[in-house]
Amino acid sequence: MEAVSEKITLDNQLTDWYFTNRDQLMSSSNSVFNSVRPAAMESFRKLGIPDSSFENYKSTNIPKVFLSPLHKYIEQRKILFAVEDLFHCDIPELDTELVLLVNGWFYENRPRLQVLPGGMIIGSMAEAAKEYPDLIKQHYSKYADYEKDGLVALNTAFAQDGTFIYVPKGAGGDRAVQIVNVLLSPEDLFVQHRNLVIVEDNATARVVVCDHSLSARHFLTNSVTEIYLGPNSHLDYVKLQNENDNSNQIATSFVHQERGSDAVFNTITLHGGLIRNNVYTRLNGEGASNQTLGLSLVDETQHIDSYTFVDHAAPNCNSHQNFKYILDDQATAAFTGRILVRQNAQKTIAYQANNNILMTSEARVNTKPQLEIYADDVKCSHGATVGQLDPNAIFYLQSRGISKREARLLLMYAFGHEILNKISVEPLRVRLSDLVDKRLRGELSRCNSCPLHCQETC
Amino acid sequence: MNGDQDPIIKQVTQGDYKYGFVTELDNDALPKGLNEDIVRRISAKKEEPEWLLEIRLKAFRYWLTMKKPEWAHLKIPPIDYQDIIYYSAPKNNKPTGSFEDVDPELLKTFDKLGIPLDEQKHLSGFAVDAVMDSISVKTTFKESLGELGIIFSSFSDAVREHPDLIKKYMGSVVPYRDNFYAALNSAVFSDGSFVYIPKGVRCPMELSTYFRINAANTGQFERTLIVAEEGAYVSYLEGCTAPMRDENQLHAAIVEIVAHTDAEVKYSTVQNWYPGDKNGLGGIFNFVTKRGICLGDRSKISWTQVETGSAVTWKYPSCILRGESSVGEFYSVAVTNNHQQADTGTKMIHIGKNTRSTIVSKGISAGKGQNSYRGLVRVVKNADNARNYSQCDSLLLGDQCGAHTFPYIEVDNETAVVEHEATTSKIGEDQIFYCNQRGIDTETAIGLIVNGYAREVLNKLPMEFAVEAQKLLQISLEGSVG
Amino acid sequence: MLSIRNLKAAINGREILKGINLEVKEGEVHAIMGPNGSGKSTLASVLAGRDLFTVTGGEVLFEGKNLLDLSPEVRARAGIFLGFQYPVEIPGVSMTNFMRTAINEQRKYRGLPEMNATEFLKLMRDKKALMEIDSALASRSVNEGFSGGEKKKNEIFQMAMLEPRLAILDETDSGLDIDALKTVATGVNRLRRPDNAMIVITHYQRLLDYIVPDFVHVLSGGRIVKSGDKTLAYELEEKGYDWIKEENEE
Ligand SMILES: Nc1ncnc2c1ncn2[C@@H]1O[C@H](COP(=O)(O)OP(=O)(O)OP(=O)(O)O)[C@@H](O)[C@H]1O
Ligand SMILES: [Mg+2]
């Protein structure tokens, strides 16, 4: 009962916050955002913050993370020092274009939009909405359904800024765009950002997202990312979640794929408090293929919850989901993966796996892999396992002179390797493998000279 | 599926229901509708003791506060609970238990269903409790089993003859608050079977209950309770059919199993309620709560089900593995054809240390059938070394049907090993061609392949039932072959 | 017995068989050799009635009947047996059940009564002994978990059970160890009768040492480009296929 009234209070507070600031929100934003704002808010009022009465949110207490007192702002706050002085990514040979968001806002000391050779455009979402309203209108809020999830509705109601990436027809290539989401604040903070990635026909995008917290504060991020993949385009998307353990994050991504496109969407979770990742994929055109992957190493009282939904809406597509969790201490985890094969989606090949290793008696996992199939000429399978490291394998390694500790580390590393291997940007793969290895060893798992000393500060 | 195979699939998937006849009997029925008075009158008809009436009333009052479950992957039209007859019994049946006193019409009916109630004619090795609508008609071999201390009787007889056992165990595994349909059953249940196997006794024959719905507009609400004392063993079978009627009929049963230390209970079901016609008209709504508890160490409960009937099936035979090293098993074949829907699976709750469970589920969807597996495997905190293996396969025949898999795995102990695998596919064209090349036509080939696919589960049934079930699979899928 | 005239067949619009002519008489053994992908298995499949391939031209007569009009099972019942290059696994269906169904279907077609269980099991036993098949193999599911060689042996065992008029053996020798090859060849030879015939597809002349063919044909690019007697096989073994291709180009 108490939880119910808390949720109502919470929903009301957020609604009030909207109406108090509506005029300012409207006047400071472009009509692209403003045109869907009222409907999104209407939907939020209906849905509210999802609590455990929503089947998809049963395993994670979302209202709880909203209840701790957080500062909320609807305008960009000045930060006291220059992030770029502190930040430079040292991964050798990682040649990237940088987009920097601080607390969900595009970092002010950088050019707000850059047109790269080849026509690719990267930069601030707010700026892009002003500069290219027609382009953005075609895609904005077209994939992120705010009528089903209160968190998406909330994000849409308040959307102001975020990252924008546009790869025109045939453009793009090996060079990756690196998005660094920095949380930096003297006070506890609620952050939302809204991102859009448009990859047109035959174009290629490689995106690396690094989530870092720079202050030892409590943060809560509620982000929504929409990704459109045109016919025969390619996407390689890696998201590294590495915030302090007081930072909670809800990240919802929508990947819309047209004919012949292929996508790899990979989330690596190292640190953070409560993390909920939603990845909705729609295979909308024939012959599209998708891999949605995740590797999470969590300990202490961390909680990771991944929800994936792959909607096979066209024939001859294939999808592959693979999520691996290693849970230490009192960490808890949940996985829900849903594959829907619609009646016309013949010749679908879909696979889904969730494998978990529990390291302690207090770690806990719930997993719900689901298949919902309405076409007959398909090959679909899923599997889920929960277990420990194979004692025979540990013994085998020990018999070769490897210490038990090292043997366990080796096996855990091997467990995660399958996911890391799918990272196509080589220097990034090497670095992330290194971070994972360090994380397993309990060492600092931030990049060597990345000045975002998230771990030290907390 | 290529063009010329479709008509074959169609033909193959249009089997006829062979048990759809109605027996003309005089019925002693209560009026339609559900209220406290009806509950009291059911209890009075059965001359029940006060304590049982109290349970019924509590259940009824609780049921009034409940909502029907909505989470299953089923489309169920609203059910008017006031439009159902909750008690209907064939009139000329004197419950003396002797063969001579059974109405010959009833005997004929069961003969026609292949269940002769004359012990002389009976399939060797089987004892039967035959239940028609709301009452048990006849229980065979009651006396000879009694010599071993085994109690095998109708539930009503057991209430009279063994009230202490009933009081002790009834509702101990499925309390009336468990769910909507369990509460409903607890309020209005009419009859069913009771089995008690004393310490150290292996029941020498298969015990079985045959359920038959006959009267129109009538719901069937039976309860089965099986108690196996330390070291006891029993294999129990359940079969069911109903006439073809255009309206939907409700069947909401409860089965409770208690297995003490080292006891083993095998429970097999061949469910063949009337599935409705090809257009989805009529058929039984089958909402059943089945649960067993492995109370003692090293006890074992094994569920095997072949589900070919019913318009809607909502059923999750479950095991609570409380005793150390206890074992739970669930083997299931579910066929949905035409407009049938099934949401079925199991729950394996690992509480004791070293508990093991196995789940094998084979779904077959044809026509416009929707078939869902839903299963929960939970390993609680102290259930060290729990093991579960689940395998859920779905086979799709035709492109109008659906196959869905919803496993829930909750693990709270790091020494657990839980594995779940599921696949969905259609019959390979290369398999059909291989059979064709040996001279086997496509229809027969599909029958062969489907039976092969279900083999692992059919093998778990007692021999006679396995053959029966195999035929049933063919009938429910193959118009011309059965 | 079998006459193939200008047979053309395609898959997904791509023509694989480009006009095959072949005449097989009672008592004859024909060997077909040819490079990978030349269409040998396609020919075998088309003769057996696999609908994956579309016949785009020509005709096939089998004992005077138009073979192409018949469904695969009717062809089988009429006496055509295909030993598959890649035998198919059918989980859960026991070899015994499979064979009994097949034999009884064929007997029904020929107007014979069903074979009773005792007769059938005796037949199984005899043929297993003949083919030196492990008893355990027959109680397992059709081809499921069989090794490559076991699958091939199992094909010949089925041939022995069904006693076809025309057997088409598609690379039955590949994957067999030396002893198994001899067993299979001996088995096949025992099934040779003056009133039946065989088409043996192989890459190795070695098999033809055991099963001596009356004719050897070379299939290349969807056509029979050369025919000869058994010496042609030796020639191929020695020189490969290039010289035939060259010869043809000239
Ligand atoms: N199912 C199929 N789909 C598409 N192409 C096919 C298919 N089956 C065969 N082909 C093509 O047809 C051609 C002939 O194949 P076939 O299997 O008849 O060759 P083969 O002579 O038996 O070769 P091998 O000696 O390797 O067995 C090849 O190019 C092959 O790729
Ligand atoms: Mg071949």
Side-chain angles (χ1 to χ4, degrees):
Chain A
M1 277 298 109
E2 196 187 336
V4 173
S5 67
E6 270 178 356
K7 175 180 145 57
I8 292 169
T9 319
L10 177 63
D11 293 347
N12 287 341
Q13 274 172 9
L14 289 163
T15 307
D16 288 349
W17 182 42
Y18 175 83
F19 286 105
T20 321
N21 293 289
R22 181 174 52 183
D23 294 346
Q24 202 190 331
L25 270 172
M26 291 288 191
S27 62
S28 66
S29 309
N30 186 276
S31 68
V32 178
F33 297 122
N34 290 342
S35 60
V36 282
R37 234 183 258 294
M41 193 59 218
E42 222 16 71
S43 169
F44 176 77
R45 289 175 79 172
K46 268 187 227 131
L47 296 164
I49 297 296
D51 60 8
S52 61
S53 69
F54 289 77
E55 175 72 23
N56 289 343
Y57 283 92
K58 275 212 153 59
S59 306
T60 299
N61 190 339
I62 299 285
K64 192 185 83 188
V65 297
F66 274 88
L67 283 168
S68 62
L70 297 164
H71 291 268
K72 304 194 266 290
Y73 297 99
I74 57 143
E75 79 266 296
Q76 192 161 9
R77 310 275 292 174
K78 283 265 171 288
I79 44 171
L80 299 174
F81 41 96
V83 177
E84 75 241 86
D85 289 348
L86 297 173
F87 183 83
H88 83 106
C89 186
D90 77 321
I91 303 181
E93 291 147 51
L94 182 62
D95 182 18
T96 62
E97 296 293 343
L98 186 68
V99 175
L100 192 55
L101 291 192
V102 179
N103 302 334
W105 298 91
F106 191 78
Y107 182 53
E108 52 192 0
N109 295 345
R110 293 180 62 86
R112 295 185 64 77
L113 275 182
Q114 277 178 275
V115 181
L116 305 174
M120 189 179 195
I121 302 170
I122 61 171
S124 150
M125 183 70 185
E127 191 69 15
K130 267 187 241 156
E131 287 288 317
Y132 310 104
D134 291 342
L135 174 64
I136 296 204
K137 235 179 253 157
Q138 280 173 42
H139 298 286
Y140 178 74
S141 206
K142 291 289 185 292
Y143 317 115
D145 185 353
Y146 54 75
E147 285 186 343
K148 295 233 169 66
D149 186 328
L151 293 162
V152 176
L154 184 70
N155 179 288
T156 310
F158 285 95
Q160 286 177 284
D161 204 358
T163 309
F164 174 71
I165 299 176
Y166 170 66
V167 195
K169 286 194 174 115
D174 286 345
R175 201 168 154 85
V177 177
Q178 186 178 18
I179 301 168
V180 180
N181 287 315
V182 167
L183 297 173
L184 173 63
S185 161
E187 54 193 9
D188 296 349
L189 202 61
F190 174 54
V191 167
Q192 303 198 81
H193 47 95
R194 178 67 176 228
N195 314 297
L196 178 61
V197 179
I198 303 168
V199 189
E200 289 190 338
D201 313 16
N202 301 305
T204 300
R206 290 172 186 277
V207 181
V208 179
V209 183
C210 302
D211 296 338
H212 293 291
S213 55
L214 206 53
S215 325
R217 306 301 318 188
H218 290 77
F219 292 100
L220 170 60
T221 304
N222 176 39
S223 70
V224 171
T225 304
E226 290 179 283
I227 301 176
Y228 165 83
L229 295 175
N232 304 315
S233 62
H234 309 276
L235 171 76
D236 195 326
Y237 190 97
V238 183
K239 182 172 165 75
L240 171 68
Q241 295 179 312
N242 206 3
E243 296 175 355
N244 72 44
D245 288 356
N246 290 324
S247 288
N248 303 318
Q249 183 179 145
I250 301 146
T252 306
S253 306
F254 295 85
V255 182
H256 179 95
Q257 292 189 238
E258 290 297 346
R259 159 175 60 77
S261 60
D262 72 74
V264 178
F265 192 102
N266 199 339
T267 309
I268 312 283
T269 309
L270 297 181
H271 283 283
L274 175 147
I275 295 174
R276 164 72 182 223
N277 293 319
N278 299 310
V279 186
Y280 293 83
T281 303
R282 184 176 167 101
L283 300 171
N284 201 51
E286 226 181 290
S289 86
N290 174 278
Q291 295 188 52
T292 301
L293 311 166
L295 172 65
S296 303
L297 300 103
V298 289
D299 62 4
E300 299 188 354
T301 55
Q302 276 184 266
H303 176 78
I304 170 83
D305 180 1
S306 306
Y307 176 85
T308 66
F309 178 41
V310 177
D311 181 354
H312 280 264
N316 283 307
C317 295
N318 69 65
S319 66
H320 181 107
Q321 295 167 68
N322 195 351
F323 280 78
K324 295 196 164 193
Y325 292 160
I326 299 178
L327 307 177
D328 208 344
D329 302 331
Q330 299 97 35
T332 52
F335 171 80
T336 304
R338 205 171 139 213
I339 297 175
L340 170 66
V341 180
R342 292 180 193 261
Q343 202 179 335
N344 66 329
Q346 295 292 3
K347 307 268 180 212
T348 288
I349 298 177
Y351 172 77
Q352 177 194 66
N354 169 233
N355 303 306
N356 304 283
I357 290 184
L358 301 184
M359 305 293 293
T360 70
S361 59
E362 278 140 325
R364 179 189 164 97
V365 64
N366 289 356
T367 170
K368 284 191 289 178
Q370 312 186 334
L371 302 174
E372 205 179 325
I373 294 164
Y374 298 93
D376 66 329
D377 191 2
V378 299
K379 284 204 185 90
C380 297
S381 62
H382 69 199
T385 60
V386 181
Q388 318 92 67
L389 296 173
D390 178 3
N392 295 326
I394 292 180
F395 177 73
Y396 183 80
L397 291 170
Q398 283 179 295
S399 76
R400 296 291 180 270
I402 297 167
S403 74
K404 186 160 183 179
R405 184 186 130 85
E406 200 59 33
R408 285 166 64 100
L409 286 170
L410 269 174
L411 291 174
M412 278 191 278
Y413 185 80
F415 177 79
H417 198 67
E418 199 185 337
I419 305 294
L420 294 169
N421 242 356
K422 292 279 167 70
I423 299 171
S424 66
V425 181
E426 158 112 31
L428 188 66
R429 182 174 61 240
V430 172
R431 172 54 56 92
L432 285 182
S433 301
D434 184 45
L435 287 184
V436 166
D437 190 35
K438 281 197 178 127
R439 176 74 176 84
L440 288 170
R441 288 168 190 281
E443 294 169 17
L444 287 184
S445 50
R446 58 178 167 74
C447 298
N448 292 339
S449 60
C450 175
L452 307 177
H453 290 215
C454 346
Q455 291 319 306
E456 281 172 11
T457 49
C458 51
Chain B
M1 285 283 148
N2 58 26
D4 58 68
Q5 234 167 345
D6 283 344
I8 295 174
I9 293 273
K10 231 177 254 154
Q11 213 185 342
V12 162
T13 54
Q14 288 175 355
D16 281 330
Y17 189 70
K18 295 213 296 194
Y19 309 95
F21 62 90
V22 180
T23 313
E24 293 304 331
L25 290 170
D26 265 353
N27 287 322
D28 168 22
L30 289 175
K32 275 184 185 173
L34 183 54
N35 49 49
E36 278 206 21
D37 182 50
I38 289 283
V39 174
R40 286 177 194 279
R41 284 170 70 183
I42 292 172
S43 187
K45 285 250 178 229
K46 309 193 79 73
E47 297 166 16
E48 283 175 0
E50 192 60 26
W51 60 266
L52 194 49
L53 174 62
E54 277 313 305
I55 294 179
R56 286 181 184 274
L57 290 172
K58 265 195 236 162
F60 176 69
R61 289 170 197 145
Y62 189 70
W63 178 76
L64 289 175
T65 68
M66 298 179 85
K67 283 205 204 87
K68 73 181 171 75
E70 298 285 1
W71 39 260
H73 194 90
L74 299 169
K75 287 201 188 88
I76 308 169
I79 296 169
D80 181 356
Y81 290 93
Q82 298 308 331
D83 196 34
I84 293 171
I85 296 171
Y86 289 85
Y87 183 89
S88 170
K91 230 178 207 160
N92 296 333
N93 192 56
K94 296 179 215 107
T96 60
S98 106
F99 178 68
E100 286 69 33
D101 287 341
V102 181
D103 182 344
E105 270 305 309
L106 279 173
L107 291 180
K108 252 194 256 164
T109 302
F110 281 96
D111 262 348
K112 213 163 153 186
L113 295 168
I115 318 288
L117 298 181
D118 182 346
E119 290 178 14
Q120 314 298 319
K121 287 199 243 161
H122 211 70
L123 208 52
S124 64
F126 279 79
V128 181
D129 181 19
V131 177
M132 168 89 87
D133 296 330
S134 302
I135 61 159
S136 168
V137 172
K138 162 83 182 133
T139 309
T140 62
F141 296 102
K142 214 171 152 172
E143 292 75 23
S144 35
L145 289 168
E147 283 162 24
L148 292 166
I150 294 172
I151 304 169
F152 178 41
S153 73
S154 74
F155 203 88
S156 315
D157 288 351
V159 169
R160 264 192 308 275
E161 293 160 19
H162 310 281
D164 295 347
L165 286 172
I166 300 290
K167 257 192 212 165
K168 179 169 176 192
Y169 290 109
M170 179 184 151
S172 70
V173 193
V174 181
Y176 66 81
R177 290 169 170 265
D178 192 80
N179 67 70
F180 184 81
Y181 301 112
L184 177 63
N185 175 289
S186 303
V188 303
F189 75 92
S190 35
D191 214 330
S193 305
F194 174 66
V195 174
Y196 177 83
I197 315 287
K199 186 169 170 180
V201 173
R202 287 184 67 84
C203 183
M205 45 174 46
E206 308 275 350
L207 303 186
S208 70
T209 302
Y210 194 88
F211 295 105
R212 172 76 177 168
I213 297 180
N214 186 54
N217 301 313
T218 305
Q220 179 149 330
F221 306 91
E222 83 277 356
R223 298 188 76 103
T224 301
L225 173 59
I226 300 175
V227 179
E229 291 285 4
E230 187 175 333
Y233 167 86
V234 63
S235 167
Y236 183 89
L237 310 163
E238 174 200 293
C240 22
T241 56
M244 287 151 84
R245 295 189 189 279
D246 286 350
E247 86 267 16
N248 295 113
Q249 281 179 283
L250 180 62
H251 171 247
I254 289 180
V255 175
E256 295 177 282
I257 299 177
V258 178
H260 288 281
T261 307
D262 291 313
E264 178 177 352
V265 178
K266 275 186 72 158
Y267 193 106
S268 313
T269 307
V270 175
Q271 186 266 103
N272 189 24
W273 295 117
Y274 177 52
D277 72 3
K278 291 177 178 59
N279 302 313
L281 189 64
I284 302 292
F285 290 158
N286 189 34
F287 303 133
V288 176
T289 307
K290 291 185 170 179
R291 191 176 304 147
I293 182 163
C294 285
L295 262 186
D297 296 350
R298 295 170 304 280
S299 54
K300 177 174 175 182
I301 293 176
S302 177
W303 299 100
T304 304
Q305 60 174 26
V306 175
E307 303 279 317
T308 57
S310 297
V312 176
T313 298
W314 178 97
K315 171 176 178 193
Y316 315 90
S318 307
C319 299
I320 300 171
L321 303 171
R322 168 155 293 156
E324 278 189 24
S325 303
S326 58
V327 177
E329 293 178 338
F330 174 75
Y331 296 93
S332 168
V333 175
V335 180
T336 52
N337 193 3
N338 298 318
H339 290 261
Q340 282 177 273
Q341 308 173 62
D343 193 300
T344 183
T346 183
K347 292 183 197 172
M348 293 290 173
I349 314 293
H350 292 257
I351 299 172
K353 298 191 196 322
N354 302 312
T355 45
R356 280 182 291 133
S357 63
T358 306
I359 298 171
V360 177
S361 160
K362 306 272 180 179
I364 300 160
S365 315
K368 293 190 164 63
Q370 295 295 329
N371 205 325
S372 304
Y373 166 80
R374 186 181 305 276
L376 168 70
V377 175
R378 177 182 291 150
V379 179
V380 309
K381 199 157 198 63
N382 295 318
D384 291 348
N385 298 314
R387 298 282 178 271
N388 163 268
Y389 175 72
S390 310
Q391 169 76 46
C392 305
D393 297 323
S394 308
L395 196 61
L396 292 148
L397 306 176
D399 57 3
Q400 301 288 306
C401 50
H404 321 293
T405 317
F406 305 103
Y408 301 71
I409 299 167
E410 301 177 4
V411 179
D412 201 357
N413 183 301
E414 92 279 17
T415 59
V417 177
V418 177
E419 286 175 75
H420 170 95
E421 279 176 48
T423 61
T424 301
S425 52
K426 63 168 191 166
I427 294 179
E429 278 171 39
D430 52 347
Q431 291 176 332
I432 292 175
F433 180 68
Y434 193 74
C435 293
N436 288 162
Q437 211 302 305
R438 299 302 184 246
I440 302 168
D441 60 48
T442 301
E443 191 177 341
T444 313
I446 290 177
L448 261 183
I449 296 167
V450 165
N451 266 308
Y453 164 83
R455 171 78 28 220
E456 221 180 320
V457 174
L458 298 181
N459 277 348
K460 296 285 167 186
L461 291 171
M463 194 54 181
E464 290 77 1
F465 253 48
V467 174
E468 205 44 43
Q470 187 162 331
K471 275 195 223 140
L472 203 55
L473 272 187
Q474 227 138 39
I475 293 164
S476 54
L477 286 170
E478 303 180 14
S480 46
V481 175
Chain C
M1 174 189 268
L2 179 77
S3 69
I4 306 174
R5 294 182 198 144
N6 199 26
L7 179 66
K8 295 181 182 169
I11 184 159
N12 303 332
R14 196 180 130 217
E15 192 155 84
I16 309 286
L17 301 183
K18 299 177 179 159
I20 302 270
N21 290 293
L22 186 67
E23 205 63 44
V24 179
K25 297 205 177 65
E26 288 189 351
E28 290 178 352
V29 173
H30 290 247
I32 296 183
M33 303 182 82
N36 293 129
S38 58
K40 303 182 296 296
S41 297
T42 304
L43 175 61
S45 297
V46 169
L47 292 179
R50 184 78 165 112
D51 61 5
L52 210 61
F53 301 93
T54 333
V55 174
T56 49
E59 61 170 0
V60 181
L61 295 179
F62 178 63
E63 308 201 304
K65 277 177 293 213
N66 186 350
L67 190 70
L68 300 177
D69 283 350
L70 307 177
S71 69
E73 61 269 29
V74 174
R75 296 185 204 197
R77 293 168 194 172
I80 290 186
F81 178 88
L82 172 61
F84 286 65
Q85 183 175 1
Y86 305 108
V88 179
E89 301 191 1
I90 311 181
V93 177
S94 72
M95 269 308 294
T96 312
N97 195 8
F98 178 65
M99 270 293 105
R100 189 170 49 213
T101 313
I103 286 210
N104 283 333
E105 292 278 342
Q106 302 214 5
R107 288 176 67 93
K108 221 188 306 174
Y109 179 80
R110 289 175 204 145
L112 297 171
E114 288 203 353
M115 210 179 241
N116 71 35
T118 335
E119 278 176 314
F120 176 76
L121 290 174
K122 182 175 179 318
L123 183 68
M124 282 277 277
R125 229 181 4 254
D126 294 350
K127 301 292 180 178
K128 268 191 298 202
L130 180 73
M131 295 311 304
E132 296 179 22
I133 292 251
D134 192 345
S135 269
L137 225 51
S139 61
R140 281 163 56 183
S141 298
V142 180
N143 292 322
E144 196 186 29
F146 286 25
S147 77
E150 285 168 345
K151 282 184 184 166
K152 295 300 172 72
K153 268 191 170 173
N154 189 23
E155 292 294 289
I156 301 305
F157 164 67
Q158 292 176 41
M159 173 180 163
M161 290 288 291
L162 297 168
E163 299 184 331
R165 302 266 296 132
L166 172 69
I168 306 164
L169 304 180
D170 191 355
E171 295 198 25
T172 302
D173 52 336
S174 54
L176 292 178
D177 65 40
I178 299 159
D179 293 337
L181 184 70
K182 273 191 207 146
T183 323
V184 163
T186 317
V188 170
N189 282 330
R190 278 198 213 154
L191 296 171
R192 271 179 90 162
R193 289 208 311 253
D195 63 341
N196 64 19
M198 274 177 221
I199 298 174
V200 180
I201 298 172
T202 182
H203 284 295
Y204 307 104
Q205 178 271 323
R206 198 182 54 189
L207 177 72
L208 304 179
D209 282 345
Y210 297 107
I211 307 174
V212 183
D214 302 297
F215 301 94
V216 174
H217 310 277
V218 178
L219 190 71
S220 178
R223 289 197 182 83
I224 292 184
V225 293
K226 196 168 178 69
S227 299
D229 61 12
K230 63 181 179 193
T231 55
L232 179 56
Y234 289 100
E235 211 168 341
L236 290 169
E237 180 92 4
E238 210 172 291
K239 300 195 204 164
Y241 291 114
D242 284 351
W243 65 278
I244 296 183
K245 288 184 193 157
E246 279 158 27
E247 198 174 68
N248 263 344
E249 273 156 24
E250 278 161 20

